């Protein structure tokens, strides 16, 4: 039986968000595999660390707490099948988890843990390398939108017949 401990610090939640993902109607999971020499609270971090996120958008406090209790109970049943690997996993609950059949929550959690803690496989021989983070993605091109550098926006200038501008 694997030991599942609680994920407590915000940086650990954020780090898990950068890993592999799993989605169902009732929950999403994000997870990352830890380095073998990583430490938590002065001791070597071993085993699975899991945290829950249930936002206010899901419902009132009583509903969020009920979802959290249901997920914890499902986790007790899944703990025997949990992978024996060093990983951080964040489970993000959605509103349907409140009324979903308990068996479906258990199965979703079991599949989520299996998916997000799966070790990376070997790269296929013909696989193309992913783009570098400091270069724009060649498929999408440079990012455009609200976060681009502020600067003067080009305004249309109307020209008079004699070549002068009106402005």
């Amino acid at each position: 039986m694997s030991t599942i401990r609680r994920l407590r610090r915000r940086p650990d939640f954020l780090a898990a968000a950068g890993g592999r993902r799993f989605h169902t109607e009732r929950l999403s999971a994000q997870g990352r595999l830890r380095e073998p020499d990583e430490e938590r609270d002065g001791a070597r971090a071993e085993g699975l660390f899991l945290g829950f996120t249930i936002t206010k958008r899901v419902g009132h406090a009583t509903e969020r707490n009920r979802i959290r209790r249901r997920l914890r109970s499902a986790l007790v049943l899944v703990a025997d099948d949990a992978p024996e690997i060093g990983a951080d996993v964040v489970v993000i609950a959605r509103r349907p988890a409140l009324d979903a059949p308990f068996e479906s929550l258990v199965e979703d959690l079991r599949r989520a843990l299996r998916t997000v803690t799966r070790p990376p496989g070997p790269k296929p021989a013909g696989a193309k390398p992913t783009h570098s983070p400091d270069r724009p993605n060649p498929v999408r091109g440079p990012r455009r939108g609200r976060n681009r550098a502020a600067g003067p926006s080009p305004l249309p200038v109307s020209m008079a017949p004699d070549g002068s501008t009106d402005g």
Side-chain angles (χ1 to χ4, degrees), residues 145-155:
R146 301 187 76 149
N147 293 333
R148 66 180 169 192
S153 62
L155 297 175

Side-chain angles (χ1 to χ4, degrees), residues 103-158:
E103 294 78 27
S104 64
L105 279 180
V106 171
E107 186 56 33
D108 285 349
L109 201 52
R110 183 174 286 127
R111 287 176 42 219
L113 288 177
R114 197 175 328 127
T115 301
V116 300
T117 60
R118 186 175 59 229
K123 298 268 185 192
K128 294 181 182 177
T130 59
H131 72 281
S132 170
D134 33 67
R135 286 189 321 158
N137 188 337
V139 175
R140 284 190 353 211
R143 295 187 135 211
R144 293 187 181 9
R146 301 187 76 149
N147 293 333
R148 66 180 169 192
S153 62
L155 297 175
V157 177
S158 61

Side-chain angles (χ1 to χ4, degrees), residues 1-6 48-52 68-82 89 91 102 105-107 109-110 113:
M1 178 174 137
S2 104
T3 302
I4 299 177
R5 287 182 273 183
R6 191 169 153 202
L48 196 59
F49 281 77
L50 190 122
F52 293 113
R68 189 175 289 115
R69 285 192 306 270
R70 294 186 85 209
L71 286 173
R72 283 185 190 148
S73 296
L75 186 62
V76 168
L77 297 176
V78 172
D80 292 336
D81 303 333
V89 178
V91 175
F102 187 71
L105 279 180
V106 171
E107 186 56 33
L109 201 52
R110 183 174 286 127
L113 288 177

